Amino acid sequence: SQKIEQNSEALNIQEGKTATLTCNYTNYSPAYLQWYRQDPGRGPVFLLLIRENEKEKRKERLKVTFDTTLKQSLFHITASQPADSATYLCALAGSSNTGKLIFGQGTTLQVKP
Amino acid sequence: GAVVSQHPSRVICKSGTSVKIECRSLDFQATTMFWYRQFPKQSLMLMATSNEGSKATYEQGVEKDKFLINHASLTLSTLTVTSAHPEDSSFYICSARENWISSYEQYFGPGTRLTVT
């Protein structure tokens, strides 16, 4: 069955460092992958989308890579700030463009000042 | 950016009663909206796809007679939890896509916390 794995352990880093979060998947060939931020008690907020034929995408301090051979996406936050502390979710979508997303369980990032 | 609202933000109801949750796209039209459920410390699980003007498509294991979905307009979808039980207590989140074919981004509502006592 399709499976998405994100590191369930919280990631604690110092302010100013680069945070790197991992999303691995099996038994799936996504057309695109998305990263979301979720704060406690709130809905997810869209951050970045990367398509299967793209290797890397950047937006301000955020960078996403997508390796369809390794079946892995890496999400980087450079120059991290305490305000970046949240849970980050990766979500995969198939090629039929139904819009249906399969979410990973999320990784909680804690940036310490 | 596109904004999706949900109402109510939290609701407490007695076991056996029904609860309606609204999901609105405020500044765009959405032919398709999605309903998710999220239990504590768990991921979002897609419950159903709501299509304007037609019946919703439910994911495997989701009871369509218990979770009634109506998508009457391009900006409004509703989820009604019928005969709610304590195990239905969860965080319900909707999302919407804009109505153009190359749009892949989904915009999520703030969620509705349902507690069934």
Side-chain angles (χ1 to χ4, degrees), chain A residues 32 34 36 38 41-44 46 49 51 97-101 103-105, chain B residues 34 36 38 43-44 46 49 59 91 93 97 101 104-106 108-110:
Chain A
Y32 58 94
Q34 302 184 8
Y36 288 84
Q38 187 175 26
R42 306 290 296 174
F46 172 79
L49 178 152
R51 303 187 201 298
N97 196 23
T98 61
K100 289 170 61 170
L101 296 176
F103 279 86
Q105 75 272 31
Chain B
F34 303 90
Y36 294 83
Q38 186 177 34
S43 185
L44 280 77
L46 179 64
T49 303
E59 294 301 302
F91 192 49
I93 311 172
R97 287 202 310 178
I101 196 161
Y104 294 97
E105 297 175 18
Q106 283 191 33
F108 283 79

PDB file of all heavy atoms in Angstrom, chain A residues 32 34 36 38 41-44 46 49 51 97-101 103-105, chain B residues 34 36 38 43-44 46 49 59 91 93 97 101 104-106 108-110:
ATOM      1  N   TYR A  32       3.107  15.242  -8.371  1.00  0.00           N
ATOM      2  CA  TYR A  32       3.703  16.383  -7.697  1.00  0.00           C
ATOM      3  C   TYR A  32       3.631  16.189  -6.201  1.00  0.00           C
ATOM      4  O   TYR A  32       2.895  15.335  -5.703  1.00  0.00           O
ATOM      5  CB  TYR A  32       3.041  17.701  -8.112  1.00  0.00           C
ATOM      6  CG  TYR A  32       1.555  17.794  -7.855  1.00  0.00           C
ATOM      7  CD1 TYR A  32       1.056  18.356  -6.675  1.00  0.00           C
ATOM      8  CD2 TYR A  32       0.640  17.355  -8.815  1.00  0.00           C
ATOM      9  CE1 TYR A  32      -0.295  18.461  -6.454  1.00  0.00           C
ATOM     10  CE2 TYR A  32      -0.714  17.453  -8.594  1.00  0.00           C
ATOM     11  CZ  TYR A  32      -1.182  18.008  -7.420  1.00  0.00           C
ATOM     12  OH  TYR A  32      -2.528  18.105  -7.201  1.00  0.00           O
ATOM     13  N   GLN A  34       3.737  18.385  -2.386  1.00  0.00           N
ATOM     14  CA  GLN A  34       3.553  19.691  -1.757  1.00  0.00           C
ATOM     15  C   GLN A  34       4.037  19.652  -0.314  1.00  0.00           C
ATOM     16  O   GLN A  34       4.008  18.609   0.329  1.00  0.00           O
ATOM     17  CB  GLN A  34       2.071  20.083  -1.771  1.00  0.00           C
ATOM     18  CG  GLN A  34       1.456  20.136  -3.155  1.00  0.00           C
ATOM     19  CD  GLN A  34       0.022  20.611  -3.141  1.00  0.00           C
ATOM     20  OE1 GLN A  34      -0.485  21.042  -2.120  1.00  0.00           O
ATOM     21  NE2 GLN A  34      -0.641  20.551  -4.275  1.00  0.00           N
ATOM     22  N   TYR A  36       3.423  21.666   3.396  1.00  0.00           N
ATOM     23  CA  TYR A  36       2.522  22.545   4.136  1.00  0.00           C
ATOM     24  C   TYR A  36       3.090  22.779   5.536  1.00  0.00           C
ATOM     25  O   TYR A  36       3.791  21.946   6.091  1.00  0.00           O
ATOM     26  CB  TYR A  36       1.139  21.907   4.289  1.00  0.00           C
ATOM     27  CG  TYR A  36       0.330  21.848   3.018  1.00  0.00           C
ATOM     28  CD1 TYR A  36       0.502  20.810   2.105  1.00  0.00           C
ATOM     29  CD2 TYR A  36      -0.621  22.828   2.743  1.00  0.00           C
ATOM     30  CE1 TYR A  36      -0.246  20.752   0.939  1.00  0.00           C
ATOM     31  CE2 TYR A  36      -1.371  22.772   1.582  1.00  0.00           C
ATOM     32  CZ  TYR A  36      -1.183  21.741   0.697  1.00  0.00           C
ATOM     33  OH  TYR A  36      -1.930  21.685  -0.461  1.00  0.00           O
ATOM     34  N   GLN A  38       1.708  23.503   9.434  1.00  0.00           N
ATOM     35  CA  GLN A  38       0.514  23.466  10.278  1.00  0.00           C
ATOM     36  C   GLN A  38       0.879  23.877  11.692  1.00  0.00           C
ATOM     37  O   GLN A  38       1.762  23.286  12.311  1.00  0.00           O
ATOM     38  CB  GLN A  38      -0.136  22.073  10.280  1.00  0.00           C
ATOM     39  CG  GLN A  38      -1.467  22.055  11.015  1.00  0.00           C
ATOM     40  CD  GLN A  38      -2.184  20.718  10.940  1.00  0.00           C
ATOM     41  OE1 GLN A  38      -1.558  19.675  10.776  1.00  0.00           O
ATOM     42  NE2 GLN A  38      -3.504  20.748  11.035  1.00  0.00           N
ATOM     43  N   GLY A  41      -3.829  23.414  16.232  1.00  0.00           N
ATOM     44  CA  GLY A  41      -5.225  23.823  16.178  1.00  0.00           C
ATOM     45  C   GLY A  41      -5.609  24.599  14.939  1.00  0.00           C
ATOM     46  O   GLY A  41      -6.686  25.214  14.907  1.00  0.00           O
ATOM     47  N   ARG A  42      -4.780  24.564  13.922  1.00  0.00           N
ATOM     48  CA  ARG A  42      -5.051  25.314  12.699  1.00  0.00           C
ATOM     49  C   ARG A  42      -4.974  24.400  11.484  1.00  0.00           C
ATOM     50  O   ARG A  42      -4.395  23.307  11.530  1.00  0.00           O
ATOM     51  CB  ARG A  42      -4.035  26.448  12.522  1.00  0.00           C
ATOM     52  CG  ARG A  42      -3.912  27.383  13.704  1.00  0.00           C
ATOM     53  CD  ARG A  42      -5.136  28.236  13.874  1.00  0.00           C
ATOM     54  NE  ARG A  42      -5.330  29.121  12.733  1.00  0.00           N
ATOM     55  CZ  ARG A  42      -6.410  29.894  12.578  1.00  0.00           C
ATOM     56  NH1 ARG A  42      -7.379  29.849  13.457  1.00  0.00           N
ATOM     57  NH2 ARG A  42      -6.515  30.691  11.533  1.00  0.00           N
ATOM     58  N   GLY A  43      -5.550  24.856  10.376  1.00  0.00           N
ATOM     59  CA  GLY A  43      -5.433  24.101   9.142  1.00  0.00           C
ATOM     60  C   GLY A  43      -4.068  24.298   8.505  1.00  0.00           C
ATOM     61  O   GLY A  43      -3.365  25.257   8.817  1.00  0.00           O
ATOM     62  N   PRO A  44      -3.673  23.390   7.607  1.00  0.00           N
ATOM     63  CA  PRO A  44      -2.374  23.524   6.937  1.00  0.00           C
ATOM     64  C   PRO A  44      -2.321  24.755   6.032  1.00  0.00           C
ATOM     65  O   PRO A  44      -3.322  25.160   5.451  1.00  0.00           O
ATOM     66  CB  PRO A  44      -2.285  22.246   6.101  1.00  0.00           C
ATOM     67  CG  PRO A  44      -3.278  21.308   6.685  1.00  0.00           C
ATOM     68  CD  PRO A  44      -4.374  22.171   7.217  1.00  0.00           C
ATOM     69  N   PHE A  46      -0.307  26.208   2.688  1.00  0.00           N
ATOM     70  CA  PHE A  46       0.511  25.798   1.553  1.00  0.00           C
ATOM     71  C   PHE A  46       1.818  26.584   1.518  1.00  0.00           C
ATOM     72  O   PHE A  46       1.838  27.807   1.698  1.00  0.00           O
ATOM     73  CB  PHE A  46      -0.267  26.038   0.256  1.00  0.00           C
ATOM     74  CG  PHE A  46       0.541  25.830  -0.995  1.00  0.00           C
ATOM     75  CD1 PHE A  46       0.771  24.554  -1.468  1.00  0.00           C
ATOM     76  CD2 PHE A  46       1.085  26.906  -1.664  1.00  0.00           C
ATOM     77  CE1 PHE A  46       1.530  24.357  -2.611  1.00  0.00           C
ATOM     78  CE2 PHE A  46       1.845  26.723  -2.809  1.00  0.00           C
ATOM     79  CZ  PHE A  46       2.057  25.446  -3.284  1.00  0.00           C
ATOM     80  N   LEU A  49       5.159  23.734  -3.962  1.00  0.00           N
ATOM     81  CA  LEU A  49       4.782  22.585  -4.774  1.00  0.00           C
ATOM     82  C   LEU A  49       5.927  22.294  -5.732  1.00  0.00           C
ATOM     83  O   LEU A  49       6.516  23.211  -6.301  1.00  0.00           O
ATOM     84  CB  LEU A  49       3.503  22.897  -5.552  1.00  0.00           C
ATOM     85  CG  LEU A  49       2.950  21.829  -6.513  1.00  0.00           C
ATOM     86  CD1 LEU A  49       1.439  21.973  -6.635  1.00  0.00           C
ATOM     87  CD2 LEU A  49       3.587  21.917  -7.889  1.00  0.00           C
ATOM     88  N   ARG A  51       6.942  19.563  -9.005  1.00  0.00           N
ATOM     89  CA  ARG A  51       6.421  18.544  -9.901  1.00  0.00           C
ATOM     90  C   ARG A  51       7.433  17.419 -10.088  1.00  0.00           C
ATOM     91  O   ARG A  51       8.624  17.579  -9.806  1.00  0.00           O
ATOM     92  CB  ARG A  51       6.076  19.158 -11.254  1.00  0.00           C
ATOM     93  CG  ARG A  51       5.089  20.289 -11.182  1.00  0.00           C
ATOM     94  CD  ARG A  51       4.653  20.747 -12.575  1.00  0.00           C
ATOM     95  NE  ARG A  51       4.109  22.076 -12.636  1.00  0.00           N
ATOM     96  CZ  ARG A  51       3.020  22.519 -12.029  1.00  0.00           C
ATOM     97  NH1 ARG A  51       2.356  21.730 -11.305  1.00  0.00           N
ATOM     98  NH2 ARG A  51       2.606  23.750 -12.151  1.00  0.00           N
ATOM     99  N   ASN A  97      -4.786  14.262 -11.453  1.00  0.00           N
ATOM    100  CA  ASN A  97      -5.187  15.631 -11.130  1.00  0.00           C
ATOM    101  C   ASN A  97      -6.589  15.709 -10.544  1.00  0.00           C
ATOM    102  O   ASN A  97      -7.347  16.632 -10.818  1.00  0.00           O
ATOM    103  CB  ASN A  97      -5.092  16.545 -12.355  1.00  0.00           C
ATOM    104  CG  ASN A  97      -5.114  18.010 -11.967  1.00  0.00           C
ATOM    105  OD1 ASN A  97      -4.782  18.365 -10.832  1.00  0.00           O
ATOM    106  ND2 ASN A  97      -5.517  18.859 -12.873  1.00  0.00           N
ATOM    107  N   THR A  98      -6.912  14.714  -9.742  1.00  0.00           N
ATOM    108  CA  THR A  98      -8.166  14.802  -9.007  1.00  0.00           C
ATOM    109  C   THR A  98      -8.048  15.771  -7.854  1.00  0.00           C
ATOM    110  O   THR A  98      -9.047  16.188  -7.295  1.00  0.00           O
ATOM    111  CB  THR A  98      -8.569  13.427  -8.445  1.00  0.00           C
ATOM    112  OG1 THR A  98      -7.535  12.998  -7.539  1.00  0.00           O
ATOM    113  CG2 THR A  98      -8.745  12.410  -9.555  1.00  0.00           C
ATOM    114  N   GLY A  99      -6.820  16.077  -7.498  1.00  0.00           N
ATOM    115  CA  GLY A  99      -6.588  16.951  -6.358  1.00  0.00           C
ATOM    116  C   GLY A  99      -6.472  16.197  -5.050  1.00  0.00           C
ATOM    117  O   GLY A  99      -6.191  16.791  -4.015  1.00  0.00           O
ATOM    118  N   LYS A 100      -6.667  14.900  -5.081  1.00  0.00           N
ATOM    119  CA  LYS A 100      -6.600  14.128  -3.843  1.00  0.00           C
ATOM    120  C   LYS A 100      -5.154  14.081  -3.358  1.00  0.00           C
ATOM    121  O   LYS A 100      -4.249  13.739  -4.111  1.00  0.00           O
ATOM    122  CB  LYS A 100      -7.123  12.718  -4.080  1.00  0.00           C
ATOM    123  CG  LYS A 100      -8.616  12.677  -4.302  1.00  0.00           C
ATOM    124  CD  LYS A 100      -9.095  11.322  -4.765  1.00  0.00           C
ATOM    125  CE  LYS A 100      -8.824  10.237  -3.799  1.00  0.00           C
ATOM    126  NZ  LYS A 100      -9.499   8.962  -4.160  1.00  0.00           N
ATOM    127  N   LEU A 101      -4.965  14.407  -2.107  1.00  0.00           N
ATOM    128  CA  LEU A 101      -3.636  14.423  -1.508  1.00  0.00           C
ATOM    129  C   LEU A 101      -3.518  13.349  -0.444  1.00  0.00           C
ATOM    130  O   LEU A 101      -4.453  13.107   0.306  1.00  0.00           O
ATOM    131  CB  LEU A 101      -3.349  15.782  -0.867  1.00  0.00           C
ATOM    132  CG  LEU A 101      -3.276  16.992  -1.803  1.00  0.00           C
ATOM    133  CD1 LEU A 101      -3.095  18.274  -0.994  1.00  0.00           C
ATOM    134  CD2 LEU A 101      -2.129  16.840  -2.790  1.00  0.00           C
ATOM    135  N   PHE A 103      -1.245  12.645   2.828  1.00  0.00           N
ATOM    136  CA  PHE A 103      -0.361  13.380   3.720  1.00  0.00           C
ATOM    137  C   PHE A 103       0.529  12.455   4.532  1.00  0.00           C
ATOM    138  O   PHE A 103       0.115  11.366   4.949  1.00  0.00           O
ATOM    139  CB  PHE A 103      -1.184  14.228   4.694  1.00  0.00           C
ATOM    140  CG  PHE A 103      -1.667  15.518   4.109  1.00  0.00           C
ATOM    141  CD1 PHE A 103      -2.848  15.575   3.390  1.00  0.00           C
ATOM    142  CD2 PHE A 103      -0.935  16.676   4.274  1.00  0.00           C
ATOM    143  CE1 PHE A 103      -3.287  16.770   2.839  1.00  0.00           C
ATOM    144  CE2 PHE A 103      -1.357  17.878   3.744  1.00  0.00           C
ATOM    145  CZ  PHE A 103      -2.544  17.922   3.025  1.00  0.00           C
ATOM    146  N   GLY A 104       1.738  12.924   4.780  1.00  0.00           N
ATOM    147  CA  GLY A 104       2.584  12.296   5.777  1.00  0.00           C
ATOM    148  C   GLY A 104       2.125  12.736   7.156  1.00  0.00           C
ATOM    149  O   GLY A 104       1.269  13.614   7.289  1.00  0.00           O
ATOM    150  N   GLN A 105       2.704  12.140   8.186  1.00  0.00           N
ATOM    151  CA  GLN A 105       2.243  12.445   9.542  1.00  0.00           C
ATOM    152  C   GLN A 105       2.832  13.742  10.073  1.00  0.00           C
ATOM    153  O   GLN A 105       2.402  14.231  11.111  1.00  0.00           O
ATOM    154  CB  GLN A 105       2.561  11.285  10.512  1.00  0.00           C
ATOM    155  CG  GLN A 105       4.017  11.176  10.914  1.00  0.00           C
ATOM    156  CD  GLN A 105       4.819  10.330   9.950  1.00  0.00           C
ATOM    157  OE1 GLN A 105       4.535  10.287   8.756  1.00  0.00           O
ATOM    158  NE2 GLN A 105       5.827   9.653  10.469  1.00  0.00           N
TER     159      GLN A 105
ATOM    160  N   PHE B  34     -12.494  19.492  -0.600  1.00  0.00           N
ATOM    161  CA  PHE B  34     -12.129  18.235   0.046  1.00  0.00           C
ATOM    162  C   PHE B  34     -12.370  18.345   1.545  1.00  0.00           C
ATOM    163  O   PHE B  34     -12.178  19.399   2.147  1.00  0.00           O
ATOM    164  CB  PHE B  34     -10.644  17.916  -0.204  1.00  0.00           C
ATOM    165  CG  PHE B  34     -10.280  17.839  -1.658  1.00  0.00           C
ATOM    166  CD1 PHE B  34      -9.853  18.982  -2.319  1.00  0.00           C
ATOM    167  CD2 PHE B  34     -10.367  16.654  -2.353  1.00  0.00           C
ATOM    168  CE1 PHE B  34      -9.524  18.936  -3.680  1.00  0.00           C
ATOM    169  CE2 PHE B  34     -10.033  16.591  -3.706  1.00  0.00           C
ATOM    170  CZ  PHE B  34      -9.616  17.735  -4.364  1.00  0.00           C
ATOM    171  N   TYR B  36     -11.273  16.635   5.224  1.00  0.00           N
ATOM    172  CA  TYR B  36     -10.291  15.809   5.914  1.00  0.00           C
ATOM    173  C   TYR B  36     -10.662  15.719   7.385  1.00  0.00           C
ATOM    174  O   TYR B  36     -11.364  16.570   7.930  1.00  0.00           O
ATOM    175  CB  TYR B  36      -8.886  16.432   5.828  1.00  0.00           C
ATOM    176  CG  TYR B  36      -8.285  16.482   4.439  1.00  0.00           C
ATOM    177  CD1 TYR B  36      -8.605  17.506   3.556  1.00  0.00           C
ATOM    178  CD2 TYR B  36      -7.363  15.524   4.023  1.00  0.00           C
ATOM    179  CE1 TYR B  36      -8.040  17.568   2.291  1.00  0.00           C
ATOM    180  CE2 TYR B  36      -6.789  15.579   2.766  1.00  0.00           C
ATOM    181  CZ  TYR B  36      -7.128  16.601   1.904  1.00  0.00           C
ATOM    182  OH  TYR B  36      -6.563  16.660   0.666  1.00  0.00           O
ATOM    183  N   GLN B  38      -8.614  14.883  11.166  1.00  0.00           N
ATOM    184  CA  GLN B  38      -7.293  14.741  11.772  1.00  0.00           C
ATOM    185  C   GLN B  38      -7.453  14.456  13.256  1.00  0.00           C
ATOM    186  O   GLN B  38      -8.009  15.289  13.999  1.00  0.00           O
ATOM    187  CB  GLN B  38      -6.458  16.013  11.565  1.00  0.00           C
ATOM    188  CG  GLN B  38      -5.019  15.879  12.038  1.00  0.00           C
ATOM    189  CD  GLN B  38      -4.191  17.132  11.744  1.00  0.00           C
ATOM    190  OE1 GLN B  38      -4.706  18.241  11.782  1.00  0.00           O
ATOM    191  NE2 GLN B  38      -2.903  16.946  11.449  1.00  0.00           N
ATOM    192  N   SER B  43      -1.901  12.316  11.030  1.00  0.00           N
ATOM    193  CA  SER B  43      -1.929  13.066   9.791  1.00  0.00           C
ATOM    194  C   SER B  43      -3.368  13.359   9.361  1.00  0.00           C
ATOM    195  O   SER B  43      -4.314  12.835   9.931  1.00  0.00           O
ATOM    196  CB  SER B  43      -1.220  12.262   8.701  1.00  0.00           C
ATOM    197  OG  SER B  43      -1.137  13.018   7.524  1.00  0.00           O
ATOM    198  N   LEU B  44      -3.492  14.206   8.358  1.00  0.00           N
ATOM    199  CA  LEU B  44      -4.805  14.462   7.772  1.00  0.00           C
ATOM    200  C   LEU B  44      -5.215  13.253   6.943  1.00  0.00           C
ATOM    201  O   LEU B  44      -4.434  12.747   6.138  1.00  0.00           O
ATOM    202  CB  LEU B  44      -4.764  15.681   6.854  1.00  0.00           C
ATOM    203  CG  LEU B  44      -4.828  17.048   7.490  1.00  0.00           C
ATOM    204  CD1 LEU B  44      -3.503  17.434   8.096  1.00  0.00           C
ATOM    205  CD2 LEU B  44      -5.249  18.097   6.467  1.00  0.00           C
ATOM    206  N   LEU B  46      -8.015  12.027   4.195  1.00  0.00           N
ATOM    207  CA  LEU B  46      -9.063  12.477   3.300  1.00  0.00           C
ATOM    208  C   LEU B  46     -10.323  11.653   3.531  1.00  0.00           C
ATOM    209  O   LEU B  46     -10.271  10.416   3.534  1.00  0.00           O
ATOM    210  CB  LEU B  46      -8.608  12.344   1.847  1.00  0.00           C
ATOM    211  CG  LEU B  46      -9.612  12.757   0.779  1.00  0.00           C
ATOM    212  CD1 LEU B  46      -9.918  14.254   0.877  1.00  0.00           C
ATOM    213  CD2 LEU B  46      -9.095  12.422  -0.612  1.00  0.00           C
ATOM    214  N   THR B  49     -14.352  13.799  -1.420  1.00  0.00           N
ATOM    215  CA  THR B  49     -14.206  14.884  -2.398  1.00  0.00           C
ATOM    216  C   THR B  49     -15.590  15.409  -2.703  1.00  0.00           C
ATOM    217  O   THR B  49     -16.492  14.647  -3.083  1.00  0.00           O
ATOM    218  CB  THR B  49     -13.536  14.363  -3.682  1.00  0.00           C
ATOM    219  OG1 THR B  49     -12.278  13.787  -3.350  1.00  0.00           O
ATOM    220  CG2 THR B  49     -13.340  15.492  -4.682  1.00  0.00           C
ATOM    221  N   GLU B  59     -14.027   8.322   0.469  1.00  0.00           N
ATOM    222  CA  GLU B  59     -12.887   7.404   0.554  1.00  0.00           C
ATOM    223  C   GLU B  59     -13.334   6.104   1.219  1.00  0.00           C
ATOM    224  O   GLU B  59     -14.345   6.065   1.947  1.00  0.00           O
ATOM    225  CB  GLU B  59     -11.748   8.044   1.346  1.00  0.00           C
ATOM    226  CG  GLU B  59     -11.140   9.250   0.663  1.00  0.00           C
ATOM    227  CD  GLU B  59     -10.584   8.932  -0.716  1.00  0.00           C
ATOM    228  OE1 GLU B  59      -9.690   8.050  -0.813  1.00  0.00           O
ATOM    229  OE2 GLU B  59     -11.041   9.553  -1.689  1.00  0.00           O
ATOM    230  N   PHE B  91     -10.784  16.771  14.553  1.00  0.00           N
ATOM    231  CA  PHE B  91     -10.549  18.060  13.919  1.00  0.00           C
ATOM    232  C   PHE B  91     -10.877  17.892  12.442  1.00  0.00           C
ATOM    233  O   PHE B  91     -10.255  17.087  11.755  1.00  0.00           O
ATOM    234  CB  PHE B  91      -9.080  18.454  14.128  1.00  0.00           C
ATOM    235  CG  PHE B  91      -8.735  19.873  13.792  1.00  0.00           C
ATOM    236  CD1 PHE B  91      -9.501  20.922  14.273  1.00  0.00           C
ATOM    237  CD2 PHE B  91      -7.626  20.172  13.015  1.00  0.00           C
ATOM    238  CE1 PHE B  91      -9.171  22.249  13.987  1.00  0.00           C
ATOM    239  CE2 PHE B  91      -7.294  21.495  12.727  1.00  0.00           C
ATOM    240  CZ  PHE B  91      -8.065  22.529  13.207  1.00  0.00           C
ATOM    241  N   ILE B  93     -11.210  19.405   8.684  1.00  0.00           N
ATOM    242  CA  ILE B  93     -10.614  20.474   7.884  1.00  0.00           C
ATOM    243  C   ILE B  93     -11.066  20.327   6.441  1.00  0.00           C
ATOM    244  O   ILE B  93     -11.075  19.216   5.900  1.00  0.00           O
ATOM    245  CB  ILE B  93      -9.074  20.413   7.919  1.00  0.00           C
ATOM    246  CG1 ILE B  93      -8.558  20.291   9.357  1.00  0.00           C
ATOM    247  CG2 ILE B  93      -8.459  21.635   7.254  1.00  0.00           C
ATOM    248  CD1 ILE B  93      -7.065  20.026   9.446  1.00  0.00           C
ATOM    249  N   ARG B  97      -9.727  23.924  -4.246  1.00  0.00           N
ATOM    250  CA  ARG B  97      -8.836  24.270  -5.348  1.00  0.00           C
ATOM    251  C   ARG B  97      -9.530  25.301  -6.220  1.00  0.00           C
ATOM    252  O   ARG B  97     -10.743  25.260  -6.396  1.00  0.00           O
ATOM    253  CB  ARG B  97      -8.521  23.042  -6.216  1.00  0.00           C
ATOM    254  CG  ARG B  97      -7.608  22.041  -5.615  1.00  0.00           C
ATOM    255  CD  ARG B  97      -6.954  21.191  -6.669  1.00  0.00           C
ATOM    256  NE  ARG B  97      -7.887  20.619  -7.623  1.00  0.00           N
ATOM    257  CZ  ARG B  97      -7.522  19.875  -8.659  1.00  0.00           C
ATOM    258  NH1 ARG B  97      -6.238  19.644  -8.876  1.00  0.00           N
ATOM    259  NH2 ARG B  97      -8.409  19.377  -9.481  1.00  0.00           N
ATOM    260  N   ILE B 101      -7.526  24.589 -14.653  1.00  0.00           N
ATOM    261  CA  ILE B 101      -7.061  23.225 -14.812  1.00  0.00           C
ATOM    262  C   ILE B 101      -5.623  23.026 -14.367  1.00  0.00           C
ATOM    263  O   ILE B 101      -5.260  21.973 -13.890  1.00  0.00           O
ATOM    264  CB  ILE B 101      -7.268  22.748 -16.266  1.00  0.00           C
ATOM    265  CG1 ILE B 101      -7.160  21.220 -16.346  1.00  0.00           C
ATOM    266  CG2 ILE B 101      -6.259  23.406 -17.211  1.00  0.00           C
ATOM    267  CD1 ILE B 101      -7.766  20.636 -17.575  1.00  0.00           C
ATOM    268  N   TYR B 104      -2.772  23.410  -9.005  1.00  0.00           N
ATOM    269  CA  TYR B 104      -2.599  22.258  -8.138  1.00  0.00           C
ATOM    270  C   TYR B 104      -2.651  22.624  -6.667  1.00  0.00           C
ATOM    271  O   TYR B 104      -2.775  21.767  -5.814  1.00  0.00           O
ATOM    272  CB  TYR B 104      -1.251  21.592  -8.427  1.00  0.00           C
ATOM    273  CG  TYR B 104      -1.156  20.979  -9.805  1.00  0.00           C
ATOM    274  CD1 TYR B 104      -0.556  21.661 -10.847  1.00  0.00           C
ATOM    275  CD2 TYR B 104      -1.666  19.720 -10.041  1.00  0.00           C
ATOM    276  CE1 TYR B 104      -0.464  21.101 -12.103  1.00  0.00           C
ATOM    277  CE2 TYR B 104      -1.577  19.147 -11.308  1.00  0.00           C
ATOM    278  CZ  TYR B 104      -0.977  19.849 -12.319  1.00  0.00           C
ATOM    279  OH  TYR B 104      -0.888  19.308 -13.561  1.00  0.00           O
ATOM    280  N   GLU B 105      -2.540  23.907  -6.381  1.00  0.00           N
ATOM    281  CA  GLU B 105      -2.496  24.308  -4.983  1.00  0.00           C
ATOM    282  C   GLU B 105      -3.852  24.136  -4.330  1.00  0.00           C
ATOM    283  O   GLU B 105      -4.887  24.407  -4.931  1.00  0.00           O
ATOM    284  CB  GLU B 105      -2.067  25.776  -4.877  1.00  0.00           C
ATOM    285  CG  GLU B 105      -0.663  26.029  -5.400  1.00  0.00           C
ATOM    286  CD  GLU B 105      -0.316  27.498  -5.403  1.00  0.00           C
ATOM    287  OE1 GLU B 105      -0.991  28.272  -4.711  1.00  0.00           O
ATOM    288  OE2 GLU B 105       0.634  27.872  -6.107  1.00  0.00           O
ATOM    289  N   GLN B 106      -3.815  23.678  -3.095  1.00  0.00           N
ATOM    290  CA  GLN B 106      -5.034  23.586  -2.308  1.00  0.00           C
ATOM    291  C   GLN B 106      -4.927  24.551  -1.143  1.00  0.00           C
ATOM    292  O   GLN B 106      -3.871  24.701  -0.547  1.00  0.00           O
ATOM    293  CB  GLN B 106      -5.230  22.163  -1.778  1.00  0.00           C
ATOM    294  CG  GLN B 106      -5.744  21.199  -2.814  1.00  0.00           C
ATOM    295  CD  GLN B 106      -6.174  19.885  -2.235  1.00  0.00           C
ATOM    296  OE1 GLN B 106      -6.675  19.816  -1.110  1.00  0.00           O
ATOM    297  NE2 GLN B 106      -5.999  18.826  -3.000  1.00  0.00           N
ATOM    298  N   PHE B 108      -6.464  25.488   2.521  1.00  0.00           N
ATOM    299  CA  PHE B 108      -7.162  24.838   3.624  1.00  0.00           C
ATOM    300  C   PHE B 108      -7.870  25.841   4.515  1.00  0.00           C
ATOM    301  O   PHE B 108      -7.396  26.965   4.717  1.00  0.00           O
ATOM    302  CB  PHE B 108      -6.177  24.024   4.463  1.00  0.00           C
ATOM    303  CG  PHE B 108      -5.778  22.723   3.826  1.00  0.00           C
ATOM    304  CD1 PHE B 108      -4.838  22.711   2.815  1.00  0.00           C
ATOM    305  CD2 PHE B 108      -6.370  21.536   4.210  1.00  0.00           C
ATOM    306  CE1 PHE B 108      -4.477  21.514   2.203  1.00  0.00           C
ATOM    307  CE2 PHE B 108      -6.014  20.340   3.600  1.00  0.00           C
ATOM    308  CZ  PHE B 108      -5.067  20.331   2.593  1.00  0.00           C
ATOM    309  N   GLY B 109      -8.991  25.399   5.063  1.00  0.00           N
ATOM    310  CA  GLY B 109      -9.676  26.193   6.069  1.00  0.00           C
ATOM    311  C   GLY B 109      -8.967  26.048   7.410  1.00  0.00           C
ATOM    312  O   GLY B 109      -8.070  25.227   7.562  1.00  0.00           O
ATOM    313  N   PRO B 110      -9.383  26.842   8.388  1.00  0.00           N
ATOM    314  CA  PRO B 110      -8.744  26.815   9.700  1.00  0.00           C
ATOM    315  C   PRO B 110      -9.123  25.615  10.544  1.00  0.00           C
ATOM    316  O   PRO B 110      -8.540  25.403  11.604  1.00  0.00           O
ATOM    317  CB  PRO B 110      -9.227  28.118  10.352  1.00  0.00           C
ATOM    318  CG  PRO B 110     -10.533  28.384   9.694  1.00  0.00           C
ATOM    319  CD  PRO B 110     -10.409  27.883   8.290  1.00  0.00           C
TER     320      PRO B 110
END
